[in-house]
Amino acid sequence: MGSLQLFHSFSVSVSPATNLRRPLNNGRVSACLNVDVEAPNPLKMKSGGSKEVIEEEGKVLVGTYARAPVVLSRGKGCKLYDPEGREFLDCAAGIAVNALGHGDPDWVRAVTEQANVLTHVSNAYYSIPQVELAKRLVANSFADRVFFSNSGTEANEAAIKFSRKFQRFTHPDDKQPATGFISFTNSFHGRTLGALALTSKEHYRSPFEPVMPGVTFLEYGNKQTAKDLIQQGKIAAVFVEPIQGEGGIYSAKKEFLQALRKACDDAGCLLVFDEVQCGLGRTGYLWAHEVYGVYPDIMTLAKPLAGGLPIGATLVTERVASAVAHGDHGSTFAGSPLVCSAAIAVLDKIANPSFLSSVSKKGHYFKELLIKKLGGNAHVKEVRGLGLIIGIELDVSASPLVDACRNSGLIVLTAGKGNVVRLVPPLIISEKELEHAADVLHECLPALDSN
Ligand SMILES: Cc1ncc(COP(=O)(O)O)c(C=O)c1O
């Protein structure tokens, strides 16, 4: 296949003083005033074949990702395609991001119309889509106010800062207001140094220590240890995923979340639900915590909210918001008109009760199907989850099965200690597609025997 880039001509002004370490595009860009030069046109960028892209990636990207050897260049609905036209059924949705699948017409319309009108403005000004999205989130949740950011980890960083500020604000005379945090085994809250400090896997944290101090990890589900620590009065907030995603698809018990709620109320500590992965319709409920009837002081959202564009949201009660003042936090890109318009299109669809009940119905059907088709295999320990967040726990590494599925045209993820197959398809997936996914998983099970 040909070159990675398709070049087109445009006029560029470059200061004669510009000191280019190396000419761009192998010398095609001339560092002089107003000349016609050839530069990559991102709209027409024609990829090479998969092999070429993978080779090029290895030369120019920082090696943070252990990527599967697949280039995804196009998507429609729940299908993804590589540059050679190979089709994949998407049961990963990014990682629980593309809730409406790929190229949803209402989402595309919202994005293109807004891009034609206004893409970005500084948060030093008001913008209509941001206010509209916040109104919808508030109208559909426990929350009174919203802070926007650009990712899940940032939504949690905001929650960390707001929790600390809340403790200072509510204890103005206290020389040492509560600054500690509780997080749980198998938790995942993000990669920045605050959210990372709340993430249980030591392997993620230890190369970057010291991370934010003051975090205690407790056993997920253990009410008593949490109660004992919270009542000591040194904890600003407890961070918990009502359903843990990265950690292996573990659902909290109602009594556990109820106990956390009560202990937090008694001690004046905040309860933060991280619904970055399990929120926004994935369970068949708009918010995962609705399943339990337990409500947080702060909820963090991200992944599916803007249907694939970067967004984070920290939803808070009025009590929490009242502790936060001008200048306490902010972000250049957050809550842009473009991203918020996309999110409005997503939220309007997902919040529809008939959409949510279809997720419940499909999730139930899929789980039963998986239990029926895979349950008899000696390596399958459990099929668990709610709605369209499902984990298949194995007694061996899930990687050979995930690889075999991909080779058979099905994209699924791992979770936990690598021994869980994670299924988080687009919420629009059809029963027929779910049947196909279950069939492929079943056919690929022998791959586990070579473990
Ligand atoms: C529960 C949870 N919180 C936070 C994050 C971090 O989100 P992001 O990768 O957008 O920073 C993730 C990502 O997987 C997540 O699953």
Side-chain angles (χ1 to χ4, degrees):
M1 275 279 193
S3 158
L4 260 177
Q5 295 165 332
L6 192 77
F7 293 96
H8 74 135
S9 211
F10 79 120
S11 188
V12 66
S13 290
V14 182
S15 155
T18 300
N19 181 10
L20 292 177
R21 187 167 58 88
R22 192 153 51 105
L24 295 173
N25 303 324
N26 299 324
R28 285 187 185 87
V29 171
S30 319
C32 59
L33 287 169
N34 292 323
V35 289
D36 267 5
V37 292
E38 286 185 322
N41 175 356
L43 291 176
K44 288 191 185 157
M45 207 176 278
K46 198 175 129 207
S47 78
S50 295
K51 190 165 168 287
E52 189 183 349
V53 174
I54 291 168
E55 276 170 16
E56 295 286 329
E57 191 270 0
K59 293 177 197 154
V60 292
L61 269 294
V62 177
T64 50
Y65 302 106
R67 301 183 205 262
V70 172
V71 178
L72 296 170
S73 55
R74 197 163 56 84
K76 190 72 201 152
C78 295
K79 302 282 168 50
L80 286 163
Y81 301 87
D82 75 5
E84 288 76 28
R86 220 158 65 116
E87 184 180 281
F88 298 89
L89 176 60
D90 182 7
C91 276
I95 302 180
V97 169
N98 305 96
L100 302 183
H102 306 278
D104 174 79
D106 295 319
W107 181 89
V108 170
R109 195 174 312 115
V111 170
T112 49
E113 282 179 5
Q114 187 60 48
N116 271 315
V117 174
L118 186 66
T119 295
H120 170 83
V121 286
S122 160
N123 277 310
Y125 303 92
Y126 297 89
S127 68
I128 297 164
Q130 188 178 118
V131 176
E132 283 302 316
L133 176 59
K135 275 162 63 183
R136 279 167 164 79
L137 287 168
V138 164
N140 282 288
S141 73
F142 73 94
D144 300 305
R145 291 176 185 271
V146 183
F147 173 83
F148 288 114
S149 53
N150 310 286
S151 63
T153 201
E154 283 179 66
N156 284 325
E157 292 294 333
I160 290 167
K161 285 179 74 176
F162 294 171
S163 301
R164 287 249 177 106
K165 189 75 196 303
F166 175 83
Q167 296 299 340
R168 291 216 158 82
F169 183 78
T170 50
H171 302 88
D173 301 326
D174 197 336
K175 284 210 171 58
Q176 286 185 313
T179 56
F181 294 97
I182 290 176
S183 186
F184 294 97
T185 47
N186 297 317
S187 61
F188 187 90
H189 296 290
R191 304 278 196 164
T192 49
L193 290 179
L196 183 62
L198 297 166
T199 290
S200 66
K201 213 183 248 184
E202 219 183 314
H203 171 73
Y204 290 151
R205 280 183 283 119
S206 55
F208 308 103
E209 279 167 349
V211 293
M212 176 183 71
V215 179
T216 306
F217 289 99
L218 301 175
E219 188 194 349
Y220 189 68
N222 190 326
K223 294 181 284 189
Q224 197 54 47
T225 53
K227 246 161 73 176
D228 290 347
L229 185 53
I230 293 167
Q231 73 188 15
Q232 289 174 22
K234 295 196 164 57
I235 300 299
V238 177
F239 278 69
V240 61
E241 295 158 82
I243 297 178
Q244 295 180 321
E246 299 287 322
I249 322 296
Y250 292 107
S251 302
K253 294 257 178 344
K254 183 173 181 163
E255 310 81 68
F256 174 54
L257 296 184
Q258 280 174 332
L260 292 181
R261 178 70 278 172
K262 179 157 188 330
C264 285
D265 286 344
D266 291 349
C269 153
L270 296 177
L271 182 60
V272 182
F273 285 166
D274 179 337
E275 295 217 10
V276 165
Q277 185 154 166
C278 62
L280 273 159
R282 183 138 298 274
T283 58
Y285 294 78
L286 187 55
W287 316 120
H289 63 261
E290 288 177 75
V291 176
Y292 305 95
V294 179
Y295 293 85
D297 303 292
I298 301 180
M299 172 170 69
T300 56
L301 301 175
K303 290 177 178 286
L305 180 54
L309 292 181
I311 191 168
T314 306
L315 279 63
V316 301
T317 59
E318 192 64 50
R319 205 165 64 100
V320 175
S322 64
V324 181
H326 288 169
D328 276 346
H329 202 34
S331 161
T332 294
F333 284 115
S336 76
L338 184 72
V339 169
C340 289
S341 293
I344 288 168
V346 173
L347 188 58
D348 281 355
K349 276 205 174 172
I350 292 182
N352 187 322
S354 68
F355 186 94
L356 291 168
S357 68
S358 82
V359 175
S360 279
K361 189 163 158 269
K362 288 185 292 191
H364 184 72
Y365 179 65
F366 194 30
K367 199 160 108 178
E368 292 300 307
L369 204 57
L370 291 169
I371 291 169
K372 199 166 98 194
K373 287 190 185 264
L374 313 184
N377 185 283
H379 292 298
V380 176
K381 287 172 72 181
E382 191 181 17
V383 179
R384 56 175 177 255
L386 186 66
L388 287 171
I389 178 165
I390 295 178
I392 305 165
E393 183 174 337
L394 307 172
D395 67 352
V396 287
S397 163
S399 295
L401 178 57
V402 170
D403 293 347
C405 285
R406 193 175 55 248
N407 291 335
S408 300
L410 174 70
I411 295 185
V412 296
L413 299 161
T414 58
K417 295 176 179 70
N419 61 328
V420 176
V421 177
R422 179 173 22 162
L423 301 158
V424 282
L427 304 181
I428 55 150
I429 197 163
S430 67
E431 286 193 356
K432 202 154 159 263
E433 287 169 322
L434 291 172
E435 284 161 15
H436 179 66
D439 283 343
V440 174
L441 277 158
H442 177 248
E443 282 157 23
C444 291
L445 278 176
L448 293 174
D449 295 325
S450 56
N451 240 349

